[in-house]
Amino acid sequence: MRKTMVLTLLAATSFGLVTVGQAHAATASYTTTFKYVDATTNKTLKTVKTTGSKNKTYTYKPVAIKYYATPAKLSYKVTKASTITLKVKATYRKATIKYVDRYNNATIKTATTKMVPVGKTASFTPVSVSGYKVTSTATKKLANVKLDSTVTFAYDKLFKLTQNMVAMDTKKSLGTSSQTVKRGQTVTLTPKSVADYVTPPVQKVQVNKDTTATFNYQRLYNVTINSVGSDGVKLGSVKQTVQQGQTVTATPKNYAGYATPTSQKVTPTKDMTVTVTYPKFYTVNVVEKAADGTALATRSMQGQAGQSVKVTPAARSGYITPASQTVDKADTVTLLYQVDQTNQDEAYDRIIASVDNQDQAKAALAAYKSDYSQAKSLSAYQAAQQTISSMTFTELGGQAMRVVDSDVSDDLIAGTGIGATDATMVDGVDDTYTAYFAAGDYFWVVNQTTKQGA
């Protein structure tokens, strides 16, 4: 502030100091402040101060502000310290272009600016940023620009995804490949096929950093199975692949004229050949036959050359099982089955024991006993046994007589005489007793159609 000096003149007299008079003060002056304000935002852009004398009129020429229109000159009168506001209109606005990581919104490139004419439309295109890929390559626009604006482009961080193929048998790499992948992206990796190796399964990998996906390749070994006869004949050959560390069962094929050996389990550690020896074999045909010539069954057996086989008969109901036989070459073995008559006399003995005159009973049953004792077929033997089993005797006059069911005509006496008089004695209603007289004695005859007791 400017100071005003007041000068006071003093005159000396014999009586002391006397004030002669005081000077007039200088003309007052004031500061005028010109404040430039954005007409749209009311933001103060600039202030300019100037000093003027009181009650004096001045002309002010506004200063130029970049990107704003300059107002016209104006007149003002200084009466006191004051502020004059000049509202200025923007001709350009600032557009700030930001480049950020879409994952965490971090700045990945220093922002740039561009001045855009007010009321116009501005277009912005993303730029390349090392290590990143823009999320969208589309152009962004600011239409009818009025204020400062910000345009943001989002980018995805790029990481390296390496695919490493490793051989498990040698622990060596079979090859690598790589690609760049956006952060957070899940990638499906399909392994390549490598000769003599098992292709591992597909992997899905989510990438959030530089990542290596390892594919382990199991070795495939070639296993050759040669089939050779014990006589040196080459029968065949089969090849198959076996995965490292796995066991394979080599199942031999069947070859005519040779015995098929048992399967072998193989766990290869390299390409290998397995030789399977087939013993030469012979065939034994087995015929099981009843004594009457009836074929009961046929089958065949295989015997290994140089070794014998035991032919064991099957047990068959009603027959005596013949002895086993040993054979050491191709042959036909006939096993003869006799009717099992082990318990043939049980029914016969029971009938004889049921009467007193056993000699007469034995004579009467002689023909029937010969039926089952001489039977060759099982059916004939069983029929004869059934006949005797159904018989009963009674005593008549001290003689052994057969009880015959009169309802069964085939079982009645045909009526043929043997030089004597027939006599029929009735006992009850249903049963008929038939006897023949010969020399005064009773002779009892059973089923006289074909046989008789003497």
Side-chain angles (χ1 to χ4, degrees), residues 284-289 294-301 314 316 332-335 337:
V284 178
N285 296 313
V286 181
V287 178
E288 296 178 346
K289 184 182 295 185
T294 301
L296 303 177
T298 59
R299 54 193 169 92
S300 62
M301 301 175 61
R316 299 191 178 278
T332 297
V333 176
T334 300
L335 301 173
Y337 285 73

Side-chain angles (χ1 to χ4, degrees), residues 138-320:
T139 297
K140 293 187 177 183
K141 292 185 177 183
L142 292 176
N144 191 21
V145 175
K146 293 181 179 180
L147 300 173
D148 290 349
S149 303
T150 298
V151 176
T152 301
F153 287 101
Y155 290 74
D156 287 294
K157 176 68 175 173
L158 296 178
F159 291 108
K160 183 178 181 182
L161 176 59
T162 302
Q163 182 174 337
N164 188 23
M165 303 182 295
V166 178
M168 294 304 293
D169 55 336
T170 63
K171 305 302 180 184
K172 294 181 178 180
S173 176
L174 297 173
T176 60
S177 60
S178 62
Q179 58 181 303
T180 54
V181 180
K182 295 186 296 184
R183 188 206 308 266
Q185 182 177 353
T186 297
V187 181
T188 299
L189 296 177
T190 302
K192 297 179 180 178
S193 297
V194 179
D196 297 327
Y197 285 91
V198 179
T199 303
V202 169
Q203 290 188 36
K204 288 188 176 182
V205 181
Q206 187 179 51
V207 178
N208 290 300
K209 61 181 180 179
D210 288 342
T211 304
T212 297
T214 300
F215 288 89
N216 294 319
Y217 284 71
Q218 293 284 353
R219 184 75 159 84
L220 279 177
Y221 297 114
N222 295 311
V223 177
T224 302
I225 303 172
N226 290 329
S227 300
V228 180
S230 58
D231 54 356
V233 175
K234 293 183 179 180
L235 303 176
S237 182
V238 176
K239 291 184 178 180
Q240 61 185 107
T241 56
V242 182
Q243 187 174 328
Q244 176 188 355
Q246 290 189 351
T247 297
V248 64
T249 300
T251 303
K253 295 173 61 178
N254 297 325
Y255 291 98
Y258 294 88
T260 302
T262 57
S263 300
Q264 295 186 34
K265 290 187 176 182
V266 180
T267 305
T269 56
K270 60 181 180 179
D271 292 343
M272 62 185 300
T273 298
V274 177
T275 299
V276 180
T277 301
Y278 285 68
K280 183 77 175 176
F281 73 83
Y282 55 86
T283 301
V284 178
N285 296 313
V286 181
V287 178
E288 296 178 346
K289 184 182 295 185
D292 65 343
T294 301
L296 303 177
T298 59
R299 54 193 169 92
S300 62
M301 301 175 61
Q302 290 183 349
Q304 185 175 321
Q307 298 180 8
S308 60
V309 295
K310 185 178 181 179
V311 181
T312 302
R316 299 191 178 278
S317 178
Y319 292 96
I320 297 173

Side-chain angles (χ1 to χ4, degrees), residues 111-130:
T112 59
T113 59
K114 179 180 179 181
M115 298 309 296
V116 180
V118 172
K120 301 296 184 181
T121 297
S123 298
F124 304 89
T125 302
V127 298
S128 298
V129 179
S130 178

Side-chain angles (χ1 to χ4, degrees), residues 76 100 185 380:
Y76 67 97
V100 299
Q185 182 177 353

Side-chain angles (χ1 to χ4, degrees), residues 15-30:
F15 297 100
L17 294 174
V18 178
T19 300
V20 176
Q22 191 174 44
H24 292 288
T27 304
S29 62
Y30 296 100

